[in-house]
């Protein structure tokens, strides 16, 4: 049986046909190697009948790999140059691709997906909005996703996975490690992309935590204040946010007011967030 991928033109030809030169303003770097795109699909264990959300499909390289598994894909793409190219992909894969022309930062995914949620989110994210999208989805939690396989600049992936006490440990590390169980799937060299970015990239796998955390909004506020002035003691960095709550909140988390944000554990930040929201 002929694979639908074999009936589609090579991705480089698609880019030329539809004049899809990557736009720096959209953070685009296209991944054309089908071996790599299939590896990303495998990282999320995408299989027959799965419902998948993809952001920024571009000419459809990763999209092809996802559809090849037998999954159904909803793709959100703001670059209207890509719509006709993605229509070719949809035709080749029995109309299992639904393309929504929109800005991913403004979309309410749960409303758009309807009864398809929770979905697997698999994407080569536009670099300029990758962290904002990640936090948005982490806050949505199991109502939106069951697993995510997302590509970031390696530097961002390192921050997501950083341990307390390290220079890269910060707000993104804490929110990611509280709202999910992140792990490094694999790295990709710059040469795998068109055009090649100036940095390496990393695919990070996010699985749901054993117990969902109920105070993500409070955690976001506390980490934002604590790390906005990361060299200051907590009594200074959190004072304006917490006011009279500060002393009892720190005590509840077994934290001293002279400590700095990077010295705390993820669990201590969870305890502070829970106290902050309850009092």
């Amino acid at each position: 049986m002929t694979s639908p991928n074999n009936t589609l033109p090579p991705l480089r030809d698609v880019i030329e046909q539809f004049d899809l030169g990557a736009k720096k303003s959209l953070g685009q770097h296209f991944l054309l190697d089908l071996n790599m795109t299939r590896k990303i699909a495998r990282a999320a264990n995408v299989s027959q009948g799965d419902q998948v959300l993809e952001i920024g499909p571009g000419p459809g390289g990763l999209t092809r790999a996802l559809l090849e598994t037998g999954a159904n894909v909803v793709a959100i793409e703001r670059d209207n140059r890509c719509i006709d190219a993605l229509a070719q992909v949809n035709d080749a894969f029995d109309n299992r691709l639904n393309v929504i022309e929109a800005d991913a930062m403004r979309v309410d995914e749960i409303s758009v997906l309807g009864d398809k949620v929770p979905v697997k989110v698999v994407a080569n994210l536009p670099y300029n909005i990758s962290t904002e999208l990640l936090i948005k989805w982490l806050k949505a939690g199991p109502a939106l996703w069951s697993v995510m396989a997302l590509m970031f600049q390696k530097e961002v992936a390192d921050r997501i996975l950083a341990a307390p006490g390290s220079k890269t440990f910060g707000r993104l590390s804490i929110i990611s490690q509280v709202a999910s169980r992140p792990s490094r799937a694999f790295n990709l060299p710059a040469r795998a992309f068109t055009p090649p970015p100036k940095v390496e990239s990393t695919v990070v796998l996010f699985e749901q935590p054993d117990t969902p955390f109920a105070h993500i909004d409070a955690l976001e506020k506390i980490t934002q204040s604590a790390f906005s002035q990361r060299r200051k003691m907590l009594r200074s960095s959190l004072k304006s946010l917490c006011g009279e709550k500060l002393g009892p909140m720190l005590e509840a988390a077994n934290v001293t007011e002279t400590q700095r944000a990077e010295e705390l554990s993820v669990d201590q930040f969870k305890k502070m967030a829970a106290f902050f929201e309850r009092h």
Side-chain angles (χ1 to χ4, degrees):
M1 181 178 173
T2 303
S3 164
N5 264 328
N6 295 333
T7 68
L8 286 165
L11 286 160
R12 291 188 186 279
D13 292 353
V14 171
I15 289 171
E16 186 175 346
Q17 179 186 351
F18 294 100
D19 192 21
L20 298 182
K23 284 188 175 180
K24 189 174 182 180
S25 63
L26 297 178
Q28 291 175 328
H29 295 277
F30 299 141
L31 185 58
L32 308 185
D33 184 336
L34 275 174
N35 291 321
M36 287 294 185
T37 57
R38 287 168 180 149
K39 193 173 181 181
I40 297 170
R42 286 196 300 272
N45 196 27
V46 176
S47 57
Q48 181 84 31
D50 280 349
Q51 304 293 338
V52 178
L53 174 65
E54 184 188 7
I55 304 299
L62 178 56
T63 317
R64 295 185 188 192
L66 294 168
L67 291 165
E68 195 176 56
T69 67
N72 301 291
V73 178
V74 174
I76 298 173
E77 177 58 72
R78 69 175 287 190
D79 186 354
N80 59 15
R81 300 176 306 152
C82 300
I83 302 304
D84 289 342
L86 293 167
Q88 276 189 351
V89 178
N90 184 42
D91 290 343
F93 284 95
D94 302 323
N95 297 313
R96 286 186 283 109
L97 172 62
N98 177 17
V99 180
I100 297 169
E101 191 177 343
D103 181 346
M105 285 301 301
R106 299 174 183 270
V107 166
D108 180 342
E109 294 90 351
I110 294 174
S111 295
V112 165
L113 293 165
D115 60 5
K116 294 182 175 71
V117 293
V119 297
K120 293 182 175 179
V121 185
V122 186
N124 170 16
L125 294 176
Y127 285 159
N128 54 357
I129 56 171
S130 62
T131 55
E132 291 93 337
L133 283 174
L134 174 61
I135 288 176
K136 179 187 179 189
W137 296 333
L138 290 172
K139 290 171 70 176
L144 173 62
W145 59 275
S146 57
V147 67
M148 299 192 289
L150 306 175
M151 192 183 308
F152 301 92
Q153 292 182 10
K154 184 176 179 294
E155 173 192 347
V156 175
D158 290 344
R159 285 165 49 205
I160 290 167
L161 300 165
S166 66
K167 289 182 180 179
T168 49
F169 181 71
R171 173 173 170 257
L172 191 61
S173 322
I174 295 160
I175 294 173
S176 299
Q177 292 170 34
V178 169
S180 73
R181 290 184 292 125
S183 59
R184 192 183 309 270
F186 56 93
N187 297 329
L188 290 91
R191 65 178 181 275
F193 298 86
T194 300
K198 295 178 181 177
V199 294
E200 279 190 282
S201 299
T202 299
V203 173
V204 179
L205 183 67
F206 299 84
E207 297 173 284
Q208 285 293 342
D210 295 332
T211 306
F213 186 64
H215 311 290
I216 290 291
D217 287 340
L219 183 69
E220 188 177 22
K221 290 174 185 174
I222 287 171
T223 52
Q224 193 162 18
S225 290
F227 284 98
S228 64
Q229 305 173 76
R230 65 184 296 145
R231 296 309 303 157
K232 286 194 173 183
M233 296 176 186
L234 292 171
R235 67 184 176 201
S236 298
S237 61
L238 291 177
K239 185 177 180 180
S240 61
L241 174 68
C242 300
E244 294 179 359
K245 285 185 190 180
L246 181 58
M249 183 185 78
L250 296 178
E251 188 177 344
N254 195 27
V255 174
T256 65
E257 63 177 21
T258 56
Q259 286 183 280
R260 294 177 173 84
E262 64 198 29
E263 299 171 347
L264 272 56
S265 69
V266 172
D267 191 56
Q268 285 174 312
F269 273 103
K270 287 174 69 175
K271 288 176 179 175
M272 288 196 298
F275 184 96
F276 181 83
E277 196 157 273
R278 287 173 180 154
H279 295 82

